[in-house]
Every structure is written in structure tokens, then in C-alpha cells.
Amino acid sequence: MAAIGRLRSLLFAPAVRPDLIAKGPRSGADGIVIDCEDATPPDAKVEARATAREAARELAGEGPLVFVRINAVPTEWFADDVCGALGDGLDGVVVPKVETVGQLDTIGAALDDAGHPDLPVVLGLETVLGVADARQLLTHPRSAGAYFGAEDYVADLGGVRTVGNAEVAVPRAQVAIAGRLAGVPTLDQIVADFRDDDRFTAETAEARAMGFRGKLCIHPAQVALANAGFVPSAEEVDRAQRMLTAYDEAKAQGLGAIAFDGQMVDEPLAAQARAIIEAATPDV
């Protein structure tokens, strides 16, 4: 399955709002999702498909990767979305609320029949069952990545959404872990209050620490915060480089651990330092 590239920020725009879709590249987002699911009411699905196809063609080559989010497999709109919303210029398709391997097989067969056998699939893991079986789903050959959808997850769980995120700490981590084991990137939940920069920045730092590679954005103002949050700071990179220099010199002398800035450094910490340097290196 083809890779979906680097996605620090994935910006959603309603398929029924071509004006907002056209503005997407100006945000600096790594990826744009033309949303035929939640952001499109039931009586506008037909219109949304046509808009999605045309908008994807127009956005192709503008900079960001371009995706279309279709409706979930069990819905009455799924089959028509695959046939009608996916056209030229797409870098991938986003499928929400994926729960079973059988659904992934259905997605793959539908894409094959519609002439999209190589289109990367980004899964929405946003139900209790989908998160519980995340590793099985993300190791499926059609899976190219996933996002964790906290709002739908809590609704399905029957819980209460809180600012502190305690109710989603475990499932959030499960998705990141499953992505690591499957070797595919995972993206963190939305922040519904797009005016709350502090919360978005804090959640981005948490997500990076947990192993997520990017974050979902529902407003252009969130994009810059996500892009900055998933790149190590200059101070982090400088410290990592100095640490590795000292550690490599020690290894050459037959030592397995050193003291650096008051901290004991051995191979696990050296591996973290290498990851910081790699994350700070622009894709070529």
C-alpha cells in the first residue's frame, strides 16, 4: 500500500463549502480532507460527491496532500461515495468508524471495483470496537494510517467528554501503539473549540509524546500550531546532537552508558535522541 506522507496537520473542510476547500492550501496544512461525512448533511450528499471530485482535481499539485472522507461502510451512502466522490488528484481516502477486518475487506473491494486499487486508506478509529481491535485493523494491507476520533469514541462509550482527556487516555494510547506496531502513522483527535490555542498546543505536545505523527484540524488557525508542535525545537535538536556526540565517543571507548547534563544516558536515550534529529529533518 502506498504511503500517505508526512501529515503533521490534516485540515477538514465540508464538501458542501467549495469556498472553504479552495482556501485550504493557504493554511499551510500538510493535508486537506474534503469531508462528505459529518460536515455534510444527509440531503446534501449527492451535491457533496460532485464537489469533492471537482475540488480534488483543482487542489492537486497545490502543495498539501488531498483526501476525501466518505461515509462509513454500514451507511446507505458508502457505495455511492466510493463511486461518486473519489476522482482524479486524490492522495488517499479517509473512511470513518472502521470497526472490523470485514469492513476493511469491503472498502478494498469497493475501491478496486471503482478503479482505485492503489488509493491509500486512512482509517477513523472512533468507536469502542474499532479502538479495541486497532492493531488488527492497522496491520490490514489496505491500511495506510489512522486517526483517533475522541468525540465519536466517547459518544459510543456512553462517557462524558472532559477538557482533561482522562476518559480517552487509554484509547488514545492504544491507537498510537497500534500504529507503531503496524508501521503506519497515526493522527491525534480534534480540539472542538478552535479558539482555544492553549488547549490545542497542550494536546499537540501530549500527542507527540505519545507517538502520534500529527493532529486533526477543524480550523485553519489550528494548522500552524500542529505543524510547529510536531517538529522538535532547535533546543531539543541541539541537545540531542550533543548527547549523541558524547555517547558515541563513549561507545568508541567501550562504555555503554555516560553521564550527560546530570542524566544517565544509555542506548534507549540515545535512540530517543536519534528520533528527535530524524523528526527535525525535512522530508526530501
Side-chain angles (χ1 to χ4, degrees), residues 24 27 39 65 68 102 127 144 150 154 161 174 186 194 200 218 227 238 268 272 278:
S27 70
L65 298 179
V68 167
T127 67
V154 171
R161 195 74 177 93
Q174 284 179 304
T186 52
F194 55 80
F200 192 93
I218 60 169
N227 288 347
D238 176 67
Q272 293 176 29
E278 182 181 358

Side-chain angles (χ1 to χ4, degrees), residues 148-212:
F148 172 59
E151 312 307 319
D152 282 298
Y153 177 88
V154 171
D156 186 38
L157 183 67
V160 177
R161 195 74 177 93
T162 68
V163 173
N165 286 321
E167 70 283 1
V168 294
V170 172
R172 199 176 173 196
Q174 284 179 304
V175 170
I177 291 168
R180 169 64 182 85
L181 293 173
V184 298
T186 52
L187 306 173
D188 190 39
Q189 62 202 20
I190 70 162
V191 172
D193 185 352
F194 55 80
R195 301 163 299 180
D196 193 341
D197 290 355
D198 290 341
R199 178 174 178 181
F200 192 93
T201 299
E203 283 197 14
T204 299
E206 293 170 1
R208 181 184 163 215
M210 296 172 73
F212 285 99

